[in-house]
Amino acid sequence: PELFKKALAASCAYSHVHPLGVDAGLVQAKAVALATELTPPVNPDEYLAALEQCSETKEIRGWLGQLRTALAKAPPMNLPTPPTPDSGETTKFFDDPAWQAAFQKEVAIQFDMASSIVGSDKMRFQIDGPSAVICALIPFLRLQDRVNDVIATSIALGGDTDTIASMAGAISGALAGGSDWVLPQVWNGLDNSDRGRDWAITLTKKLAHLAEN
């Protein structure tokens, strides 16, 4: 654990020096690491309890506790499960007004949960680490291994969308594993220049191999 914390602090040094920012990075890293060890469905209480034990600040531990309560009180997740990417039915599915209405309802639930914890003013732009990690955990714990839906709802929350989506997507992707969930229209549209899609895939495989050994 200490080596993990030191490595995280070193990697954050260029952008996060405040104790809350470093702690948020620690919680995010732990969230991804935990997800690689689990299979869905993830128990939110047990998962958040593990993150609370990892956190080193009372502020973030308090917010994680509030998130546990908010998740328990929130309406059930009723977003229809999309077809598999290889079915050829995804575009038709996502264009369906019924799905779009369900999606907007889910986003509203997530937004209300996040606002109740971090404050409505922080939802304009989650500039601080604690707000960002809470806003990333909510889509993940609501939708778990449905990576595309996790990313889509985290973007729809607004604010620092690229950061929140990358954080939530990293946790969900770690839980889902593989690449079967990747939508071809997204995959094929990714930049593939010198440090584009193929470079990122190669780097990811090297990191995965390093982690396994």
Side-chain angles (χ1 to χ4, degrees):
E2 288 306 313
L3 180 60
F4 179 76
K5 292 175 183 178
K6 287 181 180 178
L8 187 282
S11 69
C12 288
Y14 293 101
S15 58
H16 295 75
V17 293
H18 192 283
L20 284 175
V22 175
D23 194 34
L26 178 63
V27 170
Q28 169 68 18
K30 184 66 174 180
V32 175
L34 275 177
T36 64
E37 301 170 357
L38 301 173
T39 54
V42 171
N43 181 302
D45 273 346
E46 294 176 2
Y47 186 81
L48 289 171
L51 296 185
E52 285 181 56
Q53 290 180 350
C54 170
S55 173
E56 298 188 328
T57 60
K58 64 180 182 180
E59 291 87 351
I60 292 182
R61 287 196 299 271
W63 277 9
L64 291 171
Q66 290 181 50
L67 179 53
R68 292 170 73 181
T69 301
L71 285 165
K73 293 181 177 180
M77 197 284 296
N78 288 318
L79 192 61
T81 303
T84 58
D86 60 1
S87 68
E89 296 293 321
T90 53
T91 299
K92 179 181 178 182
F93 179 86
F94 292 128
D95 284 342
D96 186 343
W99 183 88
Q100 294 176 4
F103 177 82
Q104 293 300 327
K105 183 176 181 180
E106 175 61 26
V107 170
I109 291 170
Q110 293 186 22
F111 186 91
D112 287 346
M113 290 173 62
S115 297
S116 70
I117 298 169
V118 309
S120 57
D121 58 321
K122 295 283 185 70
M123 295 304 291
R124 295 195 203 100
F125 197 85
Q126 305 89 340
I127 192 65
D128 60 295
S131 298
V133 79
I134 292 296
C135 288
L137 285 168
I138 289 173
F140 166 66
L141 289 171
R142 290 280 293 178
L143 294 154
Q144 304 216 358
D145 61 335
R146 293 172 56 170
V147 188
N148 293 302
D149 289 336
V150 168
I151 293 172
T153 53
S154 62
I155 292 172
L157 289 176
D160 191 3
T161 53
D162 58 332
T163 299
I164 306 304
S166 65
M167 292 170 66
I171 309 171
S172 183
L175 178 65
S179 59
D180 295 343
W181 49 269
V182 177
L183 295 172
Q185 58 266 45
V186 175
W187 186 264
N188 295 334
L190 291 175
D191 171 68
N192 201 26
S193 55
D194 289 344
R195 292 202 169 206
R197 183 190 64 208
D198 292 348
W199 176 84
I201 293 169
T202 301
L203 180 61
T204 300
K205 288 179 178 179
K206 289 180 179 178
L207 288 170
H209 179 73
L210 184 64
E212 290 171 356
N213 294 280

